[in-house]
Amino acid sequence: MLRWIIFLIIFGILDLYAFQAFKTVTKNGLLYTIYWIITALVIGNFVFHYFGFSRRDGFSHAHAYAFGFFLAILIPKMILLIGMFAEDVFRVPQAAYRYFTEGESAKGNYFASRRQFISKLALGVAAIPFASILYGIYKGKYNYKVLKYTMYFEDLPKAFDGYKLTQISDIHSGSFDNIDKVKYAVNLINEQQSDVILFTGDIVNNKTDELIPYVDVFNKLKAKDGLYSVLGNHDYGDYVTWETEEAKHQNLEHLKTLQKDIGFDLLLNESRYLEKDGERIALIGVENWGVGGFKKAGDLKKASSKINKDDFKILLSHDPSHWEREVIKDDYHYHLTLSGHTHGMQFGIEIPGWFKWSPVKWRYKYWAGIYKEMGQYINVNRGFGYLAFPGRVGIWPEITVIELKKGTSIA
């Protein structure tokens, strides 16, 4: 209870400060009333859902929208606070000067009036994240982008020159609220006509039941050389409370069965060979392995035990921290690793080919797109679905298409 009282006090101070900007540009009492009603409803809804959160039930759509709308007002008001505080950097010293120089002749009106220009500027700037977050909730989370790359490898088997693979990651089926949009994305994946489809983990948020309504959607995925997948940290059911360990175990076994029903060959620290015209490349899949408290079930040595060191290798590993900490240092030389996990934080600024930024970069060194270290590559997929925040702002859901070419890049 104490934490919520502290939360309400802090947000109350923030809101009263931000309201100064709103009050400066209008004297309409009705608008004041609307402002406070919306604020009370959003905060009340947030407190209601999070005060009663249960790990047994997990994170629901209602929790997600409560969080999303809370962010939609919190971030703009923080911007207003910064704008108003910046003005007070000048107003407070001026007020102190008047207090000591004018005394009672100022009749207590020591503070200069807030300048309307500053308030309008702050409101204009704050409107940008407000509109962006609302767009991200209603449109951005299904704004699927197909990102295409051509990657050159001198030791790629000749038969695989021009071989295309599609990677998707972080489906998080429990978050979806529009099955038609998901069907559209599945059709978009099939339109790429890749030779193989590779899924790099987190097909659910917490429980396998979340996937059931979408099995008949995802089983429409088609690729000539099949579909392969690995587990992500959310697939193990670690983030909800189970009545028994057996119930948790059965949940995971059910998830494995549903993945098979979809058509995925789930690689649990295992490998397969993709063969073409008498040549082959190795496909290796590890269970989740991540730093920062995430499950470390991945066993790279076990997964690669049946392949040759000189094989051309594609590794599926959900968390890019695995690539950083173990994969690139391994003697086996994994030519291409495919990961996800970060979602690009579902928030950022990106100009393809020029600039990309997200706060998640402070947590993950490799957080979106292709990186190269020690002659090896990783692609970190931005994710197909979304989690917690029910939207995406600037970092859109991704379908990655990679064409493998033999030789050296001319770029």
Side-chain angles (χ1 to χ4, degrees):
M1 178 63 72
L2 179 61
R3 63 179 179 177
W4 288 110
I5 294 174
I6 295 173
F7 161 78
L8 290 174
I9 291 173
I10 292 174
F11 198 89
I13 294 172
L14 169 67
D15 219 331
L16 285 171
Y17 219 126
F19 183 64
Q20 298 301 311
F22 189 71
K23 191 168 66 172
T24 301
V25 298
T26 180
K27 304 301 180 185
N28 190 315
L30 177 60
L31 292 179
Y32 294 171
T33 301
I34 293 173
Y35 175 96
W36 288 113
I37 288 175
I38 292 175
T39 297
L41 288 174
V42 171
I43 296 177
N45 188 47
F46 177 80
V47 173
F48 172 77
H49 282 96
Y50 281 81
F51 186 79
F53 176 75
S54 167
R55 280 183 58 89
R56 176 170 295 181
D57 299 326
F59 201 82
S60 67
H61 287 105
H63 287 98
Y65 279 102
F67 178 57
F69 290 129
F70 177 70
L71 284 182
I73 67 168
L74 173 64
I75 294 176
K77 289 179 179 182
M78 290 177 66
I79 292 173
L80 290 175
L81 172 65
I82 293 171
M84 296 300 98
F85 182 78
E87 186 178 19
D88 281 349
V89 169
F90 298 97
R91 291 176 73 233
V92 171
Q94 289 176 350
Y97 176 79
R98 292 189 64 193
Y99 174 81
F100 288 109
T101 58
E102 298 181 24
E104 294 184 0
S105 63
K107 298 180 180 180
N109 297 319
Y110 303 114
F111 281 91
S113 299
R114 290 195 178 276
R115 288 173 291 178
Q116 196 174 70
F117 168 75
I118 298 296
S119 296
K120 286 183 177 179
L121 179 62
L123 284 167
V125 174
I128 296 173
F130 178 72
S132 297
I133 291 171
L134 292 183
Y135 175 83
I137 291 173
Y138 285 102
K139 294 289 186 180
K141 61 189 176 187
Y142 296 121
N143 186 23
Y144 296 101
K145 301 297 182 183
V146 178
L147 301 186
K148 297 184 178 182
Y149 303 98
T150 300
M151 302 186 69
Y152 292 83
F153 300 91
E154 292 183 356
D155 54 350
L156 179 72
K158 187 175 181 181
F160 287 87
D161 187 22
Y163 194 80
K164 286 202 324 182
L165 59 89
T166 288
Q167 180 199 1
I168 54 175
S169 191
D170 299 88
I171 288 175
H172 288 288
S173 53
S175 296
F176 292 138
D177 56 12
N178 189 325
I179 196 168
D180 289 333
K181 295 293 187 181
V182 181
K183 289 178 179 178
Y184 161 78
V186 167
N187 290 333
L188 191 59
I189 293 169
N190 286 335
E191 287 174 7
Q192 307 312 309
Q193 297 184 330
S194 290
D195 296 287
V196 66
I197 293 175
L198 307 172
F199 171 63
T200 47
D202 276 2
I203 203 165
V204 297
N205 294 344
N206 297 302
K207 297 181 178 182
T208 301
D209 288 349
E210 301 164 8
L211 180 58
I212 292 175
Y214 296 94
V215 170
D216 288 338
V217 177
F218 288 111
N219 68 12
K220 301 299 188 298
L221 291 169
K222 303 296 178 186
K224 178 170 62 68
D225 291 340
L227 288 63
Y228 297 87
S229 65
V230 293
L231 297 176
N233 55 297
H234 280 267
D235 295 324
Y236 297 91
D238 288 340
Y239 305 123
V240 290
T241 301
W242 299 90
E243 292 185 0
T244 64
E245 281 299 313
E246 177 62 20
K248 182 179 179 181
H249 172 74
Q250 289 301 320
N251 177 76
L252 181 57
E253 292 305 307
H254 188 200
L255 183 141
K256 294 175 184 178
T257 299
L258 290 187
Q259 289 221 24
K260 184 177 180 180
D261 292 342
I262 288 172
F264 284 118
D265 183 354
L266 179 60
L267 304 180
L268 300 168
N269 294 322
E270 299 173 277
S271 63
R272 304 284 187 269
Y273 279 110
L274 302 175
E275 298 187 5
K276 185 176 182 181
D277 298 337
E279 296 185 295
R280 64 186 188 178
I281 61 177
L283 186 65
I284 306 104
V286 296
E287 293 196 49
N288 190 78
W289 192 104
V291 299
F294 292 107
K295 183 182 289 290
K296 289 183 172 65
D299 188 331
L300 188 60
K301 296 298 183 184
K302 179 182 178 181
S304 302
S305 62
K306 295 182 180 180
I307 67 171
N308 298 320
K309 185 175 182 180
D310 294 333
D311 286 328
F312 185 92
K313 295 174 282 294
I314 297 176
L315 173 67
L316 309 184
S317 180
H318 177 69
D319 192 320
S321 65
H322 185 216
W323 188 71
E324 179 184 2
R325 298 297 181 90
E326 288 199 340
V327 176
I328 57 177
K329 302 172 185 176
D330 194 274
D331 293 338
Y332 255 42
H333 186 88
Y334 294 86
H335 297 73
L336 174 61
T337 297
L338 303 177
S339 296
H341 183 63
T342 72
H343 300 205
M345 204 176 169
Q346 298 167 213
F347 175 83
I349 302 171
E350 190 163 12
I351 304 173
W354 290 89
F355 176 80
K356 64 180 179 183
W357 175 88
S358 168
V360 78
K361 68 176 295 183
W362 297 323
R363 173 65 175 82
Y364 290 96
K365 182 177 180 180
Y366 309 103
W367 61 273
I370 291 178
Y371 303 86
K372 182 180 180 181
E373 296 285 353
M374 299 174 64
Q376 301 166 85
Y377 293 89
I378 186 173
N379 179 61
V380 184
N381 185 284
R382 293 160 180 80
F384 183 91
Y386 51 93
L387 180 69
F389 172 61
R392 284 179 174 268
V393 179
I395 304 294
W396 312 120
E398 175 180 344
I399 298 164
T400 310
V401 178
I402 297 176
E403 182 179 10
L404 305 178
K405 296 291 290 182
K406 184 174 180 60
T408 304
S409 173
I410 60 175

